[in-house]
Amino acid sequence: MSLRATPLAAALLTITLAACQPQATPAPTGNQPAATSAASSQTDARFADLSQRWLDGWLQLQPVTSTQTGDHRNDTALDDFSAAGRQKMIDFSRKILAELDTLDVSSLSRENQVDAAILRNQVRYDIWTVETLQSWAWDPQLYTGTAGSAIYTLMARDFAPMPQRLKSVTQRMEKLPTLFAQMRENLDPNRVPKIHAETVAKQNSGLLSLIDELVAPNAKSLSGAERKRLDAAIATLRTAVADQQKWLDETLVPNAKGNFRLGQTLYDEKLAFALNSPLTRTEIRTRAEAAIGETRREMYEIARKLLSERPNAPNPMPLQPNDAQQQAVIEAALELAYADRPARDKVVELAKQSTTEATAFVREKNLVSVPDTPVQVILMPEFQRGVAVAYCDSPGALDKGLDTFYAVSPIPDAWTPEQVDSFLREYNTRSIHELSIHEAMPGHYLQIAHSNKHPSTLRAVLGSGSFIEGWAMYAEKVLADAGYMNNDPLMQLIQRKWALRAMANAILDQAIHVDGMSQDDAMKLMTQTTFQQEREAAGKWVRAQLTSAQLPTYFVGYSEHLDLRREVEKRDGKAFDIKAYHDKVLSYGSPPVRFARELMLDQPIK
């Protein structure tokens, strides 16, 4: 999972890519009539100006996102979720949209046609999020995510001297009680889902861990009045967090009566904005169900061959199994992988080791250009736990040379031995390798490092979740096809099991939010059809309730990446070069895959 730029509604999952300088206006080509070239150049210049004004205004309205992008002009400010603050976002977005409507998009350069389409989608998404989705009225994650990120993004990376960052975090901490007040004012307990309230109640104390682990140990960098102001801000925030916890526990959680299911209308509208893909909800489900069937058949063949060489193999193992036979054989083979797993306290260590090994393999096989920017495997900050097991947090493009964080959630201390066993069966040794491929190499870390080199402002800020997550899932297949871990059949089996997870994600999201899928049916899809362990499935059930339109990004992007590669392979024939292809795809930044396809195949931008 990669934490990327999202609309105002998804602050918890927002760790944005950075903004670059506006794209240079393309020089006219010799094949264009002079008048047409001049008009195109003027339109490109107008769009460059508009996109820069949008970026400046958008980041000013969202200071935490501004810090995340690497634009540090707003480091002392905090997002305003009051009615007036929300209206500012709407007014600003409508003004930008009106200006976009006056542009002759067809006369823009092809790159800017893509960016104009991306910008239009985002501006409309922002308006829809505030006016129609209204997450500010029912999703407390919006506020806790912003509060935690407000501190974390200032302290996690050394983008400026520590005293400067401490002064900024002091001013943000002084403003956090106002954010809490806005949260209490805006949220309607009758609309807040119980699962959202309970999750935020657990996350709230994570703010104090940020203070204790990132801020307080560095307080000595300040002295005099600045140190006193920092200490006062910390003391005030501790009180505010305690008061907030009391309100969460005694008011919000007991009175939360909202429905976590979006319903068909809101879901379909959000899905269209979030994916920016030609695939409809129905098409996504049809593709996912077909892919599950095909992948299970592949797993059966791998398992059948593997087990035929071992004693105590399931019997029978026919060439054409029925459903029960297929299930039993695949499960028996997976048990061999589950037996090889890390100790409870060695998961992060194995994540580091597997990242190193995957990097060496990518270089050896010459699969894609490897960036030289650093990556660190870290424990996931407490305020961000509870949604995903791991994520990739890349620096903004303006924060040159800073670390990428591959964050792994620790096993909760409160888990029973049975729960820990379930988790480690799912995240066995080979699965940790698969996780590192997805999050780091050649998945999110590599792809976002390439993306941050693209000159487009919009491509840098508004990275497509389906391109990003789809690439990471595609990267898993690339390494499996290239024989990672010496074509180990158990690794081949685990890779396909992980693919099944993404396919199930795409079905779960719409089935839960639109079709009313029950927890029992969701757990059956995950634990039986797609072989997930109970702890993984239980966590995914929670995640599917807390989020929407994010879980399909993996499979949708993966499908589109595979479709694009097949088309290029067909076009290039024997001249197809996998490294050249990957470098070319990644050179476009992180647009929705539909636009990467149109650019690569020289098709009209739609």
Side-chain angles (χ1 to χ4, degrees):
M1 174 182 179
S2 176
L3 298 184
R4 312 299 304 152
T6 62
L8 199 59
L12 180 68
L13 297 179
T14 300
I15 299 289
T16 342
L17 286 178
C20 302
Q21 294 303 310
Q23 186 174 359
T25 303
T29 65
N31 295 325
Q32 293 176 305
T36 302
S37 298
S40 298
S41 179
Q42 289 175 1
T43 307
D44 281 314
R46 283 185 60 199
F47 179 71
D49 174 70
L50 174 60
S51 64
Q52 184 62 51
R53 285 187 287 109
W54 168 80
L55 177 65
D56 289 342
W58 196 69
L59 293 179
Q60 187 175 18
L61 288 167
Q62 300 178 106
V64 175
T65 296
S66 181
T67 301
Q68 291 163 345
T69 64
D71 181 344
H72 296 289
R73 292 175 292 176
N74 304 298
D75 281 356
T76 62
L78 198 62
D79 298 41
D80 180 4
F81 294 106
S82 68
R86 300 194 303 271
Q87 191 61 48
K88 285 181 181 179
M89 173 62 82
I90 292 172
D91 293 343
F92 169 74
S93 298
R94 290 197 186 284
K95 183 176 183 295
I96 293 294
L97 196 58
E99 289 194 59
L100 268 174
D101 288 340
T102 68
L103 285 177
D104 179 9
V105 175
S106 64
S107 68
L108 290 171
S109 69
R110 285 174 58 78
E111 291 282 352
N112 278 340
Q113 286 180 38
V114 169
D115 285 359
I118 292 172
L119 178 57
R120 180 179 295 278
N121 184 76
Q122 181 64 43
V123 173
R124 292 179 61 235
Y125 197 1
D126 286 336
I127 296 170
W128 179 86
T129 297
V130 177
E131 291 188 332
T132 304
L133 186 63
Q134 296 184 349
S135 51
W136 50 268
W138 59 265
D139 190 355
Q141 297 175 104
L142 175 65
Y143 303 92
T144 55
T146 299
S149 295
I151 297 171
Y152 180 76
T153 54
L154 288 171
M155 301 304 297
R157 291 188 174 91
D158 297 327
F159 62 83
M162 180 58 71
Q164 178 181 330
R165 290 186 285 140
L166 285 172
K167 286 184 234 181
S168 295
V169 85
T170 296
Q171 294 185 59
R172 278 197 174 162
M173 287 191 296
E174 291 171 341
K175 296 177 177 71
L176 283 176
T178 299
L179 176 67
F180 294 155
Q182 291 173 353
M183 177 179 179
R184 294 191 291 269
E185 173 69 21
N186 293 344
L187 289 177
D188 177 359
N190 288 318
R191 297 179 65 185
V192 175
K194 178 74 76 173
I195 184 66
H196 290 64
E198 292 173 343
T199 298
V200 165
K202 295 174 184 177
Q203 292 173 332
N204 183 60
S205 63
L207 282 171
L208 298 182
S209 70
L210 289 176
I211 300 301
D212 294 337
E213 296 171 14
L214 298 179
V215 179
N218 293 295
K220 60 182 178 295
S221 299
L222 297 181
S223 60
E226 292 171 345
R227 173 62 187 271
K228 289 181 180 179
R229 185 176 178 182
L230 172 63
D231 291 343
I234 292 175
T236 300
L237 183 56
R238 289 189 189 280
T239 300
V241 169
D243 291 343
Q244 186 76 344
Q245 191 69 52
K246 180 178 174 66
W247 176 78
L248 289 168
D249 293 337
E250 298 180 5
T251 300
L252 188 63
V253 172
N255 294 293
K257 297 180 176 66
N259 186 353
F260 64 84
R261 303 180 197 272
L262 284 189
Q264 180 176 330
T265 299
L266 286 177
Y267 182 85
D268 284 348
E269 290 174 353
K270 184 175 183 181
L271 190 72
F273 282 124
L275 298 183
N276 203 350
S277 166
L279 293 177
T280 66
R281 170 167 53 89
T282 301
E283 289 170 331
I284 292 168
R285 182 156 191 167
T286 299
R287 279 195 176 206
E289 288 173 345
I292 286 175
E294 177 60 29
T295 303
R296 282 178 59 101
R297 285 189 288 273
E298 291 177 2
M299 292 177 73
Y300 178 78
E301 286 306 311
I302 295 170
R304 180 175 170 274
K305 181 178 179 181
L306 175 67
L307 294 173
S308 66
E309 303 169 356
R310 294 173 178 264
N312 302 318
N315 187 27
M317 294 193 295
L319 289 174
Q320 300 296 329
N322 59 34
D323 290 345
Q325 291 166 337
Q326 185 187 69
Q327 187 78 16
V329 170
I330 296 173
E331 286 181 349
L334 285 171
E335 285 295 331
L336 300 176
Y338 299 156
D340 182 6
R341 57 199 192 203
R344 175 178 183 150
D345 60 348
K346 298 297 183 182
V347 173
V348 174
E349 181 179 316
L350 180 56
K352 293 178 181 179
Q353 173 191 331
S354 55
T355 299
T356 299
E357 292 177 10
T359 302
F361 183 83
V362 169
R363 285 197 172 105
E364 176 192 346
K365 297 295 184 180
N366 208 27
L367 297 174
V368 61
S369 295
V370 176
D372 55 9
T373 52
V375 59
Q376 283 191 33
V377 182
I378 65 168
L379 283 176
M380 187 182 295
E382 185 176 349
F383 82 100
Q384 289 176 325
R385 297 174 192 171
V387 177
V389 171
Y391 62 75
C392 177
D393 175 8
S394 299
L398 294 183
D399 284 331
K400 301 296 184 183
L402 299 184
D403 287 348
T404 292
F405 296 134
Y406 163 19
V408 181
S409 181
I411 296 175
D413 293 335
W415 277 10
T416 65
E418 292 76 17
Q419 290 173 321
V420 173
D421 181 70
S422 173
F423 178 86
L424 291 176
R425 282 166 61 84
E426 183 73 19
Y427 288 91
N428 54 76
T429 297
R430 290 172 179 82
S431 283
I432 296 296
H433 276 267
E434 197 72 13
L435 183 67
S436 296
I437 292 168
H438 183 99
E439 300 295 344
M441 177 59 63
H444 291 320
Y445 153 64
L446 178 140
Q447 183 266 315
I448 294 170
H450 278 268
S451 177
N452 281 349
K453 296 177 182 179
H454 194 278
S456 164
T457 301
L458 300 175
R459 224 80 58 84
V461 176
L462 302 178
S464 162
S466 56
F467 185 101
I468 294 164
E469 296 295 356
W471 168 268
M473 185 178 172
Y474 167 78
E476 297 170 34
K477 177 174 171 56
V478 168
L479 261 65
D481 290 347
Y484 184 65
M485 293 181 69
N486 298 315
N487 284 306
D488 172 21
L490 289 178
M491 188 66 194
Q492 296 283 325
L493 205 62
I494 289 296
Q495 184 272 322
R496 285 160 175 79
K497 173 182 165 170
W498 273 59
L500 283 180
R501 292 191 349 174
M503 297 161 193
N505 285 350
I507 296 172
L508 277 172
D509 197 62
Q510 60 176 267
I512 288 171
H513 286 284
V514 176
D515 302 327
M517 175 181 267
S518 68
Q519 182 175 0
D520 286 345
D521 286 342
M523 293 296 286
K524 182 178 179 180
L525 172 64
M526 289 184 282
T527 60
Q528 296 183 32
T529 305
T530 58
F531 304 104
Q532 298 173 50
Q533 294 296 303
E534 185 275 337
R535 279 295 84 193
E536 173 69 17
K540 191 67 62 63
W541 167 249
V542 171
R543 178 174 170 184
Q545 296 173 80
L546 291 172
T547 67
S548 54
Q550 193 277 329
L551 285 173
T553 59
Y554 303 86
F555 178 70
V556 170
Y558 173 70
S559 297
E560 293 179 318
H561 274 293
L562 285 180
D563 288 347
L564 175 56
R565 176 169 163 181
R566 291 186 190 108
E567 288 189 75
V568 175
E569 284 180 318
K570 182 178 179 180
R571 181 195 68 184
D572 294 351
K574 294 182 179 179
F576 178 80
D577 179 89
I578 192 167
K579 182 180 181 183
Y581 168 75
H582 289 156
D583 286 354
K584 185 67 173 177
V585 169
L586 296 179
S587 74
Y588 297 127
S590 301
V593 183
R594 61 189 289 188
F595 296 128
R597 178 180 180 274
E598 289 163 358
L599 289 169
M600 179 166 277
L601 299 176
D602 198 26
Q603 296 176 342
I605 306 300
K606 298 177 182 178

